[in-house]
Amino acid sequence: MSFPKNFLWGGATAANQIEGAYNVDGKGLSVTDITTAGSLEHPRMLTYKLNGKLEESPALPGAGLPEGAVGAIDSNEYYPNHVAIDFYHHYKEDIKMFADMGFKTFRLSIAWTRIFPKGDEEKPNQAGLDFYRHVFEECKKYDIEPLVTISHYEDPLYLSEKYHDWQDRKMIDMYVKYAKVLFEEYKGLVKYWLTFNEINTAVMMLDMFGNNNNSDEAYQHAYQKLHYQFVASARAVKAAHEIDPNYVVGNMICGIVDYPLTPDPKDVLKCRHDWEKNIFYCGDVQCKGKYPTFAKRLWNEHNVHLDITDQDLEDLVKGTVDIYTFSYYMSNVVTTHEVKDKVGGNFAAGAKNPYLNYSEWGWATDPTGLQYYLEVIYDRYEIPVMVVENGLGAVDQVTSDGKIHDDYRIDYLRQHIEAMQKAIDDGVDLIGYTTWGCIDLVSAGTGQMSKRYGFIYVDRDDNGEGSLKRLPKDSFYWYKKVIESQGEDLD
Ligand code: BG6
């Protein structure tokens, strides 16, 4: 059992969660820049001005800004993404540490607002283009292949206000223009691109919160947003291949595995339908180039009517992705029955699985679920697959000797690497693995720094205090060995 010779071992991040420098060198505001810190108990909030008054509301998926609101920064609030881990000024040091671990690839995203500060400018911002060029050149210095997400939860605030979070097809043109600039600009420096991070969360999350956010209106919004994003993604894929036939472009799905709680056929059917809505709906459009048959049922369930043109449908066929990529952290259990034992956590909900252990944030550790997911997906699409996020968010302690003994993280990753090995043995064409938050970063869900995923510790806390000093954890040396041995030495 071993991983393929050219397997892309590495780590993953997103611009808004690491870069900081939120208002320098011409960068415009992203939606994350008006998102406050939160915790497991308290949601992150969006801050804005409505009728001249500062207000806020929970930053839940599908929530967006209220009609007429203009995003605003409240000087009494703390915004963790404004400084994050200041990768903007530490990227050389950080990439060197990735190289020390032997990374073959580094997944990062581009902040749209560094390239087009508002989103609809005629010309891109040169300082933004230069920043990423320097980052990619630094990667190349160490033979690290950048894996670039074009949009990772950070739409320009201006576009989001003007077009109400992708409720206008003009967003397609804005996105495609932005993507084309990247494809032209970084030709020869980047090979792998992902169009939208966890595109499926637009619908997946609606049912997960039980926060009255799953009305027909919310579904209408989510499915329309997805349609425009599918078309934007397809047109970008086509443009990428025209600009450089060597480009490899993938989709990116939030891969949460669902199991039925009981053998009650109603539970089993519900589980299948959840897979269709949450996972296959987006994967089918992006990999097969057309809407699946069950799409009509999903739309009818919520009285959804979409703006779809013939041209859109043609473009979907022409813009299928080359690789399927996904994040994997946990599984969920679904049932039609009343349950007493429920999971409480951010992005995790529903019945508790008695066979699994849960993290402090309520996420179920389930390596077998990863094997299951890989096998299901590869069987369905038969294109190369990549796990582009996986990891354990946990609180780390720095001991008196300045070390971080994170054996819990090593255990988690070891089990998931073993699961990937099994899937490869089963014939899955798995081409790479980038663990999430290879360097500690701001949690997307809660805005905390204390929910750490990294091999590299960053001295910064939930209130923005700390020296930003980087420290390798025990897992740093462990992962180095894993990469060196091509996944054979997992001890
Ligand atoms: C994925 C996102 O949902 O999960 C990341 O793509 C995110 O941006 C990651 O950080 C982990 O979630 P969290 O809430 O622990 O940061």
Side-chain angles (χ1 to χ4, degrees):
M1 287 205 310
S2 73
F3 284 83
K5 204 163 150 272
N6 298 327
F7 194 76
L8 292 163
W9 296 98
T13 59
N16 70 86
Q17 294 172 258
I18 57 168
E19 285 177 5
Y22 82 105
N23 59 356
V24 310
D25 293 338
K27 182 181 171 298
L29 288 184
S30 303
V31 176
T32 35
D33 294 324
I34 55 148
T35 309
T36 67
S39 66
L40 187 52
E41 295 78 26
H42 301 287
R44 304 186 73 179
M45 305 296 269
L46 293 171
T47 56
Y48 45 82
K49 277 198 169 158
L50 192 58
N51 303 322
K53 242 184 82 200
L54 261 177
E55 299 206 11
E56 57 179 27
S57 55
L60 295 173
L65 291 177
E67 192 74 34
V70 180
I73 292 171
D74 179 346
S75 55
N76 296 316
E77 289 284 358
Y78 172 56
Y79 298 89
N81 305 69
H82 285 186
V83 174
I85 59 159
D86 198 24
F87 175 81
Y88 197 78
H89 298 107
H90 288 74
Y91 71 90
K92 288 193 180 170
E93 177 188 349
D94 295 342
I95 293 170
K96 174 159 190 322
M97 289 183 90
F98 301 153
D100 287 346
M101 274 186 278
F103 275 24
K104 309 288 177 231
T105 187
F106 170 42
R107 176 176 175 227
L108 71 166
S109 73
I110 290 187
W112 190 338
T113 49
R114 284 199 197 284
I115 310 301
F116 289 103
K118 280 164 69 190
D120 67 351
E121 290 84 351
E122 201 48 45
K123 293 239 157 60
N125 171 32
Q126 191 57 44
L129 291 174
D130 291 346
F131 169 65
Y132 293 105
R133 172 168 293 280
H134 295 147
V135 169
F136 299 146
E137 282 170 353
E138 203 62 20
C139 289
K140 285 283 157 183
K141 202 163 113 185
Y142 301 105
D143 283 330
I144 296 175
E145 193 72 65
L147 165 63
V148 180
T149 318
I150 297 169
S151 173
H152 190 128
Y153 295 154
E154 50 204 315
D155 288 341
L157 178 61
Y158 174 80
L159 290 187
S160 195
E161 286 164 1
K162 189 165 176 194
Y163 300 123
H164 308 290
D165 184 33
W166 283 86
Q167 291 309 296
D168 191 313
R169 64 166 54 245
K170 289 201 192 83
M171 283 299 289
I172 301 174
D173 296 337
M174 305 289 158
Y175 176 90
V176 175
K177 179 174 170 185
Y178 158 56
K180 278 185 178 165
V181 165
L182 304 184
F183 298 147
E184 295 282 4
E185 181 73 23
Y186 303 121
K187 205 169 156 175
L189 274 175
V190 174
K191 178 174 172 195
Y192 295 96
W193 300 92
L194 306 180
T195 54
F196 288 95
N197 183 65
E198 294 190 335
I199 190 167
N200 56 323
T201 51
V203 287
M204 175 191 250
M205 296 299 178
L206 292 183
D207 279 338
M208 288 180 91
F209 287 98
N211 62 356
N212 300 328
N213 210 15
N214 55 359
S215 58
D216 284 0
E217 202 188 341
Y219 271 97
Q220 169 70 35
H221 182 107
Y223 282 120
Q224 188 62 69
K225 169 176 174 169
L226 278 181
H227 177 71
Y228 292 148
Q229 291 193 335
F230 291 151
V231 177
S233 172
R235 289 187 191 159
V237 172
K238 189 166 164 276
H241 291 151
E242 283 163 6
I243 291 168
D244 185 345
N246 290 319
Y247 277 154
V248 175
V249 192
N251 63 343
M252 200 304 203
I253 301 285
C254 175
I256 297 180
V257 165
D258 276 334
Y259 302 122
L261 182 67
T262 75
D264 178 349
K266 290 203 174 67
D267 276 11
V268 177
L269 187 67
K270 177 173 171 35
C271 183
R272 182 179 168 84
H273 285 178
D274 279 6
W275 271 87
E276 289 174 344
K277 175 173 81 75
N278 296 334
I279 307 292
F280 297 145
Y281 181 82
C282 294
D284 285 7
V285 177
Q286 295 192 294
C287 299
K288 296 181 174 183
K290 60 179 181 156
Y291 278 101
T293 39
F294 57 78
K296 281 212 174 91
R297 169 171 43 79
L298 294 178
W299 298 334
N300 289 341
E301 274 170 10
H302 291 284
N303 201 20
V304 166
H305 299 280
L306 297 182
D307 164 34
I308 301 180
T309 66
D310 289 345
Q311 184 64 51
D312 292 348
L313 296 176
E314 265 178 50
D315 290 341
L316 292 182
V317 180
K318 290 186 198 135
T320 54
V321 290
D322 306 309
I323 55 172
Y324 180 104
T325 84
F326 67 103
S327 60
Y328 179 78
Y329 294 92
M330 62 185 141
S331 57
N332 268 337
V333 174
V334 300
T335 181
T336 56
H337 298 269
E338 265 302 307
V339 279
K340 281 207 194 88
D341 209 6
K342 285 196 178 157
V343 182
N346 70 311
F347 300 139
K352 212 166 197 158
N353 188 329
Y355 299 95
L356 300 176
N357 294 322
Y358 288 79
S359 82
E360 276 182 63
W361 278 265
W363 295 16
T365 298
D366 179 13
T368 308
L370 176 56
Q371 184 187 348
Y372 184 87
Y373 192 90
L374 281 165
E375 294 180 9
V376 167
I377 289 303
Y378 187 62
D379 189 43
R380 192 171 182 101
Y381 302 122
E382 295 183 315
I383 56 174
V385 185
M386 188 161 171
V387 181
V388 295
E389 285 186 31
N390 173 239
L392 177 70
V395 174
D396 291 328
Q397 301 298 343
V398 184
T399 50
S400 52
D401 52 354
K403 302 222 158 105
I404 300 109
H405 303 299
D406 56 342
D407 16 314
Y408 35 92
R409 183 167 294 109
I410 294 175
D411 277 349
Y412 178 102
L413 296 172
R414 178 190 295 119
Q415 293 175 45
H416 286 78
I417 293 173
E418 282 167 355
M420 293 193 302
Q421 271 182 339
K422 288 183 187 144
I424 291 173
D425 287 346
D426 203 50
V428 174
D429 185 9
L430 178 64
I431 62 165
Y433 177 60
T434 55
T435 66
W436 178 249
C438 45
I439 180 164
D440 289 346
L441 40 66
V442 176
S443 157
T446 65
Q448 293 167 299
M449 268 305 298
S450 51
K451 191 181 187 193
R452 296 174 184 273
Y453 288 88
F455 301 118
I456 301 166
Y457 183 89
V458 179
D459 178 25
R460 191 163 174 86
D461 68 15
D462 290 342
N463 306 312
E465 303 292 329
S467 63
L468 290 171
K469 198 169 167 248
R470 277 69 168 145
L471 282 175
K473 305 179 192 176
D474 285 358
S475 56
F476 179 100
Y477 303 102
W478 173 81
Y479 197 47
K480 184 178 163 73
K481 240 175 24 164
V482 171
I483 298 177
E484 246 164 30
S485 67
Q486 280 288 77
E488 297 226 338
D489 185 354
L490 298 177
D491 293 335

